[in-house]
Amino acid sequence: MELQQKIPKKKISKRVSREGKIMFFTIVPFLVLVFLFAYFPLHGWIYSLYDYKPALGLSGSEFVGLKWFKMLVSSQTQIDQIVQVMKNTFAMSFLGIATSVLPVGFAILLNEVKCKWFKNIVQTLTTLPNFISWVLVYTIAFSLFSNTGLVNTLLQEWGFVTDPLKFLDSDNHTWLMMCLWNVWKGLGWGAIMYLAAIAGIDPELYESARIDGGNRFQLMRHITLPALLPTYLVMLMLSIANLLNNGMDQYFVFQNAFNKEHIQVLDLYVYNIGLGGNSLSLATAISMLKSVISVALLAVVNFASKKIRGTSII
């Protein structure tokens, strides 16, 4: 009798082990890709210890140790420039966090649209900008808001202004303008996750609330919004952990001589230093510090998540 009971357990154990191996080999290609694109490039940090000259290669370049790290704090001009860059970076990041509630509200309102064809059209039109490159976005912006663009042409023809308004070649409200373009491009895409979360809400909750006399706004406030809060909090914490990661392409295409002071975020600054200023070693040093600070922020946010929500985000 005992032997009959042990045999099924062995079979189950072998089956579980076989399935575990299959699952492991299934994810191996993705682990390899993560290693190649996320961890293998970290060996490039060694360039921050050399006065790297592309023509000479790493072996022919002079080893300078921590020279580039010391340079970041040795010159007042360099410090002032980095302070301004960090102000731009944090300003863009906090504006992005402040507007992160817009996809939530958009998803809730879109879910209340009962006309399916209209709902599909709106969702499609608001999601499409996410798949447009920032180069094309700038092309659209230039066609609309340049001195000879559509907006200035109409304003002049209608007699509202005599001289073209400087929308693009001006440093006025640069942070706000970049935030608005980012919202326009990512609103529909950001709402997809919240629409999926709404689809997972138990319909019986809505039926019970309607029976109790709840109207549509009360249903949104007391059922839909609380159901979306866990997802929103996770996304918010990840945004806080990525305060220094604004990306580069948006700011690169919109930068010019007029707005460079307030549009240059950390990623763009690293690019301009490395390729524009031909100082790859200094750019690597700055990028290293950014990575270390980002990991520290992620650790702090993860610790806060454990204390506040009881679960970590990683």
Side-chain angles (χ1 to χ4, degrees):
M1 190 69 176
E2 293 179 358
L3 182 61
Q4 292 178 352
Q5 293 178 349
K6 290 181 180 179
I7 292 176
K9 290 182 179 179
K10 290 181 179 180
K11 290 183 178 179
I12 293 173
S13 177
K14 290 181 180 180
R15 182 179 177 182
V16 171
S17 177
R18 184 171 62 254
E19 291 179 350
K21 290 179 180 178
I22 293 174
M23 294 299 295
F24 173 75
F25 286 113
T26 301
I27 66 172
V28 163
F30 301 99
L31 293 177
V32 172
L33 290 175
V34 170
F35 173 78
L36 290 177
F37 290 98
Y39 292 99
F40 181 72
L42 294 180
H43 82 282
W45 282 6
I46 194 174
Y47 288 85
S48 65
L49 303 177
Y50 288 81
D51 185 10
Y52 178 68
K53 306 294 183 184
L56 301 177
L58 189 63
S59 59
S61 301
E62 180 186 0
F63 179 82
V64 295
L66 300 178
K67 171 186 174 181
W68 304 112
F69 296 95
K70 295 177 181 177
M71 181 180 293
L72 294 176
V73 295
S74 61
S75 170
Q76 185 61 42
T77 303
Q78 185 74 34
I79 293 175
D80 294 339
Q81 192 172 20
I82 292 178
V83 168
Q84 181 61 45
V85 167
M86 294 305 296
K87 285 173 61 178
N88 298 338
T89 302
F90 282 115
M92 301 291 187
S93 296
F94 282 119
L95 283 174
I97 291 174
T99 56
S100 63
V101 297
L102 296 179
V104 180
F106 180 71
I108 294 175
L109 295 177
L110 189 61
N111 182 67
E112 293 299 317
V113 176
K114 302 304 179 185
C115 183
K116 289 187 177 180
W117 65 266
F118 180 74
K119 178 180 178 179
N120 292 334
I121 290 176
V122 172
Q123 187 173 0
T124 301
L125 292 177
T126 54
T127 305
L128 279 178
N130 179 74
F131 301 99
I132 302 175
S133 70
W134 280 110
V135 176
L136 293 179
V137 171
Y138 180 76
T139 302
I140 296 171
F142 187 82
S143 300
L144 293 175
F145 300 109
S146 65
N147 291 345
T148 58
L150 178 63
V151 174
N152 272 316
T153 301
L154 292 177
L155 290 176
Q156 286 177 305
E157 289 182 355
W158 293 342
F160 290 106
V161 296
T162 55
D163 296 323
L165 297 178
K166 297 183 180 299
F167 293 105
L168 299 178
D169 51 351
S170 171
D171 199 24
N172 295 327
H173 312 294
T174 301
W175 296 343
L176 180 60
M177 296 300 295
M178 291 299 99
C179 179
L180 292 177
W181 281 110
N182 199 37
V183 168
W184 172 78
K185 194 172 187 294
L187 180 64
W189 179 256
I192 290 178
M193 182 176 298
Y194 299 109
L195 287 170
I198 291 173
I201 300 175
D202 189 355
E204 293 183 359
L205 294 175
Y206 292 104
E207 294 296 331
S208 300
R210 291 190 185 97
I211 293 173
D212 291 337
N215 56 38
R216 295 177 68 177
F217 291 100
Q218 289 173 330
L219 266 58
M220 285 188 286
R221 178 183 176 185
H222 297 289
I223 297 178
T224 308
L225 185 58
L228 295 181
L229 280 179
T231 303
Y232 174 73
L233 288 175
V234 171
M235 300 302 295
L236 178 63
M237 290 181 177
L238 290 175
S239 298
I240 295 174
N242 286 283
L243 279 176
L244 300 182
N245 298 318
N246 299 101
M248 185 202 75
D249 41 0
Q250 174 188 1
Y251 309 102
F252 177 76
V253 296
F254 276 93
Q255 74 170 342
N256 52 54
F258 300 96
N259 61 14
K260 188 175 182 179
E261 180 181 356
H262 290 97
I263 202 174
Q264 190 169 223
V265 296
L266 189 57
D267 289 320
L268 180 58
Y269 180 67
V270 170
Y271 174 85
N272 288 336
I273 288 291
L275 296 182
N278 197 26
S279 182
L280 297 176
S281 298
L282 178 59
T284 304
I286 299 173
S287 183
M288 282 179 61
L289 295 177
K290 172 198 164 186
S291 299
V292 172
I293 295 173
S294 297
V295 171
L297 286 173
L298 181 60
V300 171
V301 169
N302 193 54
F303 177 78
S305 178
K306 286 183 180 180
K307 292 296 183 181
I308 297 172
R309 303 173 61 245
T311 56
S312 61
I313 58 176
I314 56 174

